[in-house]
Amino acid sequence: MSAITCGTHLCEHAVIDNSTFTDVSMANTTFDDVNMKDTTFHNINLSGSSFDDINMSGVKISNVNLKGASIDGVLISDLIAAYQAASA
């Protein structure tokens, strides 16, 4: 296994399956046409991030701060509240 050092890097048409990233800053990074199937994210700061044209089928989210987060302009907190009211 090789290490990526600090600095700016370009990774195109690469396969980096089964890699581990620990204590890494990827601020202001762009991911385009990336396969992250069956990937685990833990202790991740995604504040201010944008997601477009994303397949999130089967995704499980827990222990998450969704303050101000929205899907198609609808606050997720409002969606959860509506779901809970309908389920009561």
Side-chain angles (χ1 to χ4, degrees), residues 37-84:
K37 182 180 180 286
D38 298 326
T39 299
T40 300
F41 297 90
H42 173 76
N43 194 23
I44 306 296
N45 180 355
L46 293 171
S47 58
S49 297
S50 295
F51 298 88
D52 178 55
D53 194 20
I54 305 294
N55 178 354
M56 295 185 79
S57 56
V59 170
K60 295 176 179 74
I61 300 173
S62 61
N63 193 26
V64 61
N65 178 352
L66 295 170
K67 182 179 179 181
S70 64
I71 298 175
D72 288 335
V74 180
L75 288 174
I76 295 174
S77 57
D78 292 347
L79 295 171
I80 292 171
Y83 172 78
Q84 291 172 336

